[in-house]
Amino acid sequence: MPAVEALRERFEAAGTQVLGVSVDSIYCHANWACDLGGISFPLLADFHPKGKTAAAYGLYLEDNGITDRATVILSADGVVRFAESVGPGGERDIEALLARCEAIADEHGRPSWTPPARRLPAGATLYVKSRCGFSRAALLARSNLHLEQSIAIKNVTEDASACEELERIAGKSQAPCLVIDGQPKHESAEIIAMLVEATAPVPT
Amino acid sequence: MIAVGTKAPDFTLPDHLGRQISLAGLLGRRQVMLLFYPLDFTPT
């Protein structure tokens, strides 16, 4: 996954959206992605019903309850152009897969859509609480979107002055709270959606 | 494993950044590479 993340712009230039798929939950995905140094392309949770999507592609290994390690490339018309399993313990050659994507784009037409350049406004601060799942979710999104440099962190549980500061700005000490240009935004789902929209929008 | 030349089954699944990703919503404008893998916290 990190090898794909590193080549993200070249996959985009080849008109290719990369999606990771396994049977783990979105919470497991977010923590693992952060462990890997941040993954911004979608890691999909084929979690409930377990393995349903993998099974539709003939890639769910029912005896073990896991998904095969396999790559499927679709041209923009939704037709399978490449499908290869390396086995659960195998290793993918990401450079070779990029070359496949480029060749398929050349053969079947390079899609014209390019993601808009968007940036988070400067001077953002994320206020978080200790032992708070919602704060953790916002922190994981900050890492997975590579926003460590552009969003400062203040912990209102450990830092009394940060707590006072947040109360002054937002009128309450509820965290997580993302403050940009003095404007507070609460609720982790809304904070994460805003960060995604600013940096890694994916059409749905 | 799904055969080359067949139409890919559609799906909509949640991702680790709170997005609902629909295959049909992506296709048309872009091609898609699906990386199926056994489990998180294992080699990739």
Side-chain angles (χ1 to χ4, degrees):
Chain A
M1 298 297 159
V4 178
E5 181 76 7
L7 293 172
R8 189 179 39 168
E9 288 179 4
R10 291 182 63 195
F11 279 104
E12 282 177 3
T16 306
Q17 175 67 56
V18 181
L19 304 174
V21 189
S22 82
V23 296
D24 303 270
S25 71
I26 56 171
Y27 307 102
C28 194
H29 279 340
N31 281 276
W32 183 53
C34 185
D35 257 30
L36 294 174
I39 302 291
S40 63
F41 65 85
L43 296 179
L44 303 177
D46 192 12
F47 178 72
H48 184 69
K50 190 182 179 191
K52 184 184 175 193
T53 295
Y57 285 78
L59 294 167
Y60 185 57
L61 307 178
E62 200 151 3
D63 288 352
N64 298 311
I66 59 172
T67 305
D68 196 4
R69 195 180 308 277
T71 307
V72 179
I73 304 175
L74 316 174
S75 47
D77 56 3
V79 173
V80 176
R81 303 294 174 182
F82 175 80
E84 182 185 65
S85 162
V86 294
E91 194 175 338
R92 270 183 266 258
D93 181 340
I94 300 301
E95 286 278 359
L97 291 173
L98 175 60
R100 287 270 182 189
C101 288
E102 287 169 342
I104 290 166
D106 287 341
E107 188 181 346
H108 297 280
R110 207 165 271 248
S112 58
W113 191 85
T114 47
R118 303 186 196 190
R119 265 171 9 102
L120 200 66
T125 302
L126 178 63
Y127 294 84
V128 296
K129 280 194 298 191
S130 299
R131 297 174 299 284
C132 164
F134 299 108
S135 293
R136 180 166 178 81
L139 287 166
L140 289 170
R142 168 178 172 266
S143 295
N144 282 324
L145 293 165
H146 312 290
L147 295 170
E148 289 95 336
Q149 303 305 315
S150 46
I151 301 178
I153 297 294
K154 292 188 180 178
N155 186 315
V156 301
T157 309
E158 294 171 6
D159 179 353
S161 65
C163 191
E164 286 167 20
E165 189 178 282
L166 179 58
E167 280 176 0
R168 201 164 54 243
I169 295 169
K172 53 185 177 179
S173 62
Q174 180 187 327
C177 180
L178 180 68
V179 177
I180 299 176
D181 291 334
Q183 297 299 311
K185 182 177 278 292
H186 291 100
E187 306 301 335
S188 60
E190 287 184 24
I191 292 168
I192 293 167
M194 184 185 181
L195 300 182
V196 166
E197 184 64 20
T199 55
V202 170
T204 53
Chain B
M1 184 164 48
I2 195 163
V4 169
T6 57
K7 192 85 173 171
D10 192 30
F11 56 79
T12 300
L13 291 171
D15 89 339
H16 71 303
L17 286 161
R19 299 171 282 203
Q20 282 290 328
I21 304 292
S22 130
L23 181 63
L26 295 171
L27 291 171
R29 289 171 290 184
R30 287 189 279 185
Q31 55 188 37
V32 170
M33 180 170 79
L34 299 168
L35 300 174
F36 290 93
Y37 63 96
L39 287 173
D40 290 346
F41 296 97
T42 59
T44 55

